[in-house]
Amino acid sequence: MAEAALKAAGPEEELTDGFNLIIDALKLNGIKNIYAVPGIPITDFLRMSQAAGLRVLSFRHEQNAGYAASIAGWLTKQPGVCVTVSAPGFLNGLTALAHATTNCFPMIMISGSSEREVVDLQQGDYEEMDQLAVAKTMCKAAYRVLHAQDIGIGIARAIRSAVSGRPGGVYLDLPAKLFGQVMGAEAGKKSLVKVIDAAPAQIPGADAIKRALDVIKGAKKPLIILGKGAAYAQADEAIKDFVEKSGIPFLPMSMAKGLLPDTHPQCAGAARSLVLKDSDVVIMMGARLNWLLSHGKGKNWGDAPKKFVQLDIEPKEMDSNVEIVAPVVGDMGSCVNAMLSAMGNNFPKGNADWMATVAKKRDENVAKMAPKLMNNNVPMDYHGALGVIKQVIKERPDTILVNEGANTLDLARGIIDIYKPRKRIDVGTWGIMGIGMGYSVAAAVETGHKVLAVEGDSAFGFSGMETETIARYKLPVCIVIFNNDGIYRGTDTNAASNDPATTVFVKGARYDKMMEGFGGVGVNATSPDELRQAINAALDSGKPTLINAVIDPAAGSESGRIGNLNPQSALKKK
Ligand code: ADP
Ligand code: TPW
Ligand code: MG
């Protein structure tokens, strides 16, 4: 093939090849960063990408590179790109591709693959696997490119599929032979496609807007729920206007925190149980009625009859769990702007009594929590340590907070206020452990802001080797490990043998030594004061830092706030 192309091109014509065409196609479409792990057949591709001015972040494990790409997509509205080797590298990246799809993050995973003719006859090629078939079930779209002249179209399709409509993960399969395929440079250039209007506005119908506003007008106790789809849309001003003009209390889902500040007078974050129970009209904005919201029914939602309005780009999301009386389908910016203009200037401003009831409950709960956050206990409990971090973020609201764990996640989500949009990134729809270091790398690279990763000791372990990646690229990331010697608690025992219990780790482990080993800063913090000093020093210097925050092993509870989801054995011995 390469020889035929060489001949066809003629001896004096300038040539290009698969390697260069992929790089040119990505650059033409504004891709700046690639998250990857090198190896056959993509080692040279990554070298050439770096030489051509793309930033290549080389990871220690594909899952972390994939998580980085997925969150890069959510933070920027451009597909995050992850590149892996064949079979095992591909499979390592697949969890992240599925995660991107589940969370509605635009991402493209590009994997090198073995030759079709050998794979299809199952003749045992190096890292042989029918990757396209495997990937198809886990992503929004999957494509394979076999000819150099199709690279432009292949990448264009991948980009458009990732970002248009409901965003998601896309797989692009590139067999090893493609990289070296040669064609005339001129024809190659012409074959590239710059994607025009990759995520077209989706304008909701005027009737849908009127229907929604009529329902809202009839509400006595309305509630707005903001989800990570609303934060993704980057329609921050319009959403703020809508919330304020309507006077309705809002409840932010985890990654929508900061879309409006958690300290906003209409924020109902600390009155969650009350607003879910007592509201009569619920306006879902870029949030799904999945398990995180008890599917919109059951005891958390109380007995009062409810009507749901839903703004979402995905028509199939409507009526997924409960009846949606007013579906508004479109992109969030278009939906909210249409609502705002139809509201005009005389739209009734909420129900002041209801807002006051919500605010009172919120303020009571915040006041009840305040003294716990000031405690100076040694060993630290979650509240003492999180009180420090709450204050740090208040003073440094541009910092991006990465958060995973069980108690470490649930308590941090409730306690740490976020002040600006897209400053909190976490375990997402699956409650997945392992996003921490990949997210930290991408957050630093894509935004240029400092990153504070608050990690359970177990959660950290899933991506901990990327501490080296953070040190190698000298990224301004401060990792705080809430080290309670284990999963949920460090106090379990095993009476049956000398093996440790399944939820406990090495007692008194010193994770800070890992970062020291890679030339970064490591600190062992045993009190809230030490923790405060160490975090502030890290965020001032921007040096890669890992703080081992020693937490009382008895402080946490099983599964954090979701222990009720654990199945119980009726036969369990006491
Ligand atoms: P959360 O976990 O914060 O509740 P979900 O991930 O469950 O949020 O829901 C996000 C929703 O946002 C999805 O239903 C998705 O279709 C929707 N969405 C994503 N992007 C947009 C957009 N640009 N405009 C409108 N809706 C969007
Ligand atoms: C990919 C199951 C949920 S939370 C958790 C695990 C293993 C760790 C909790 O311990 P940690 O936090 O991080 O030390 P803390 O403060 O409560 O002690 N595998 C995957 N995802 C999930 N969610 C799990 C396992 C799990
Ligand atoms: Mg722990």
Side-chain angles (χ1 to χ4, degrees):
M1 178 71 209
E3 274 166 35
L6 273 172
K7 254 187 227 148
E12 52 302 311
E13 196 196 329
E14 217 186 309
L15 299 173
T16 187
D17 63 7
F19 287 103
N20 284 290
L21 287 165
I22 302 163
I23 293 166
D24 292 347
L26 292 173
K27 286 176 74 175
L28 180 67
N29 283 292
I31 304 295
K32 296 195 169 56
N33 304 312
I34 293 179
Y35 302 91
V37 176
I40 297 171
I42 54 145
T43 315
D44 264 349
F45 170 73
L46 295 177
R47 284 196 189 106
M48 291 167 76
S49 298
Q50 194 174 43
L54 286 161
R55 187 158 195 208
V56 181
L57 286 301
S58 183
F59 279 71
R60 305 298 294 263
H61 190 290
E62 290 86 355
Q63 188 175 105
N64 306 318
Y67 286 144
S70 76
I71 205 66
W74 186 76
L75 288 167
T76 65
K77 287 184 99 174
Q78 293 261 343
V81 175
C82 169
V83 177
T84 82
V85 303
S86 24
F90 159 81
L91 286 170
N92 283 346
L94 207 52
T95 317
L97 184 67
H99 165 79
T101 306
T102 298
N103 283 273
C104 317
F105 298 164
M107 163 181 175
I108 301 173
M109 181 164 113
I110 301 178
S111 294
S113 61
S114 313
E115 302 317 335
R116 292 297 331 140
E117 50 274 38
V118 187
V119 174
D120 289 349
L121 271 170
Q122 297 183 26
Q123 293 173 313
D125 205 356
Y126 170 69
E127 297 190 347
E128 174 182 300
M129 171 175 258
D130 189 355
Q131 296 170 196
L132 187 71
V134 173
K136 268 183 184 158
T137 60
M138 316 235 181
C139 58
K140 202 179 153 187
Y143 307 106
R144 177 186 292 130
V145 181
L146 290 175
H147 304 298
Q149 61 268 30
D150 293 332
I151 286 172
I153 287 291
I155 292 206
R157 296 209 74 186
I159 291 173
R160 206 178 270 288
S161 300
V163 296
S164 61
R166 171 184 276 178
V170 174
Y171 176 62
L172 192 59
D173 194 81
L174 304 182
K177 254 195 269 186
L178 177 76
F179 292 89
Q181 270 182 37
V182 172
M183 69 184 286
E186 196 49 42
K189 198 170 173 198
K190 282 202 193 117
S191 73
L192 299 184
V193 177
K194 185 169 165 59
V195 179
I196 314 284
D197 197 11
Q202 287 182 225
I203 317 280
D207 52 340
I209 295 293
K210 182 174 181 314
R211 195 184 297 119
L213 288 177
D214 285 347
V215 175
I216 296 171
K217 262 188 232 164
K220 295 200 170 55
K221 297 179 174 180
L223 169 67
I224 291 170
I225 297 186
L226 299 170
K228 59 181 170 315
Y232 169 78
Q234 298 191 17
D236 308 339
E237 277 307 306
I239 291 170
K240 179 171 179 282
D241 285 356
F242 173 70
V243 170
E244 290 181 347
K245 204 166 168 182
S246 70
I248 298 172
F250 69 91
L251 183 67
M253 299 301 285
S254 192
M255 282 173 56
K257 275 164 70 83
L259 195 40
L260 283 89
D262 284 328
T263 49
H264 190 282
Q266 284 168 253
C267 184
R272 188 176 196 271
S273 312
L274 173 101
V275 291
L276 290 189
K277 273 205 179 74
D278 290 355
S279 54
D280 62 352
V281 167
V282 181
I283 305 149
M284 305 291 300
M285 298 175 65
R288 285 171 285 188
L289 283 165
N290 56 17
W291 72 279
L292 287 156
L293 285 166
S294 331
H295 304 280
K297 51 201 171 193
K299 67 176 184 343
N300 290 336
W301 287 90
D303 300 326
K306 292 204 203 288
K307 288 182 177 167
F308 286 93
V309 175
Q310 186 160 23
L311 281 57
D312 202 290
I313 201 159
E314 176 59 61
K316 290 201 295 288
E317 190 55 38
M318 306 299 160
D319 308 321
S320 62
N321 285 271
V322 294
E323 181 193 12
I324 303 298
V325 298
V328 181
V329 175
D331 69 280
M332 196 54 62
S334 301
C335 290
V336 176
N337 281 314
M339 299 272 270
L340 280 169
S341 44
M343 281 160 86
N345 292 323
N346 300 320
F347 196 80
K349 189 161 175 154
N351 169 348
D353 288 347
W354 163 238
M355 189 60 249
T357 307
V358 174
K360 181 162 171 280
K361 184 75 194 169
R362 175 197 65 209
D363 295 345
E364 279 168 17
N365 284 344
V366 170
K368 226 185 281 168
M369 178 70 86
K372 287 195 206 163
L373 302 179
M374 314 261 288
N375 88 60
N376 242 324
N377 295 346
V378 175
M380 289 186 276
D381 58 23
Y382 286 94
H383 291 88
L386 287 168
V388 166
I389 298 178
K390 178 187 171 105
Q391 186 63 25
V392 168
I393 294 291
K394 185 176 180 188
E395 287 160 11
R396 303 170 186 264
D398 281 320
T399 311
I400 299 194
L401 184 76
V402 176
N403 191 199
E404 61 177 333
N407 294 279
T408 304
L409 176 88
D410 291 345
L411 292 165
R413 184 177 50 228
I415 290 169
I416 302 170
D417 291 326
I418 305 291
Y419 299 85
K420 295 187 173 187
R422 296 172 295 282
K423 298 293 186 199
R424 184 191 152 85
I425 49 184
D426 66 25
V427 300
T429 303
W430 269 341
I432 208 166
M433 298 297 118
I435 49 84
M437 298 303 103
Y439 274 23
S440 296
V441 169
V445 166
E446 300 288 337
T447 70
H449 288 298
K450 303 217 166 125
V451 176
L452 181 61
V454 178
E455 302 269 315
D457 52 337
S458 165
F460 170 74
F462 287 73
S463 68
M465 195 62 214
E466 307 298 345
T467 304
E468 189 275 334
T469 310
I470 289 166
R472 180 163 26 105
Y473 287 93
K474 300 187 171 57
L475 297 172
V477 174
C478 173
I479 306 157
V480 178
I481 297 188
F482 277 24
N483 187 359
N484 64 345
D485 293 346
I487 300 175
Y488 313 138
R489 298 163 71 89
T491 50
D492 257 8
T493 51
N494 166 27
S497 73
N498 287 329
D499 279 346
T502 52
T503 56
V504 301
F505 298 152
V506 168
K507 305 248 175 265
R510 290 287 302 274
Y511 294 96
D512 49 313
K513 300 280 182 196
M514 286 176 70
M515 187 58 107
E516 272 177 19
F518 298 125
V521 179
V523 182
N524 189 48
T526 56
S527 70
D529 282 343
E530 284 174 12
L531 180 61
R532 179 181 306 106
Q533 269 176 25
I535 298 177
N536 280 326
L539 294 177
D540 283 340
S541 72
K543 285 189 192 148
T545 300
L546 195 158
I547 303 167
N548 185 59
V550 181
I551 303 284
D552 181 355
S557 54
E558 179 101 349
S559 301
R561 290 262 167 91
I562 54 173
N564 59 310
L565 299 181
N566 283 308
Q568 298 289 329
S569 167
L571 308 175
K572 201 161 137 186
K573 291 200 188 97
K574 283 272 149 59

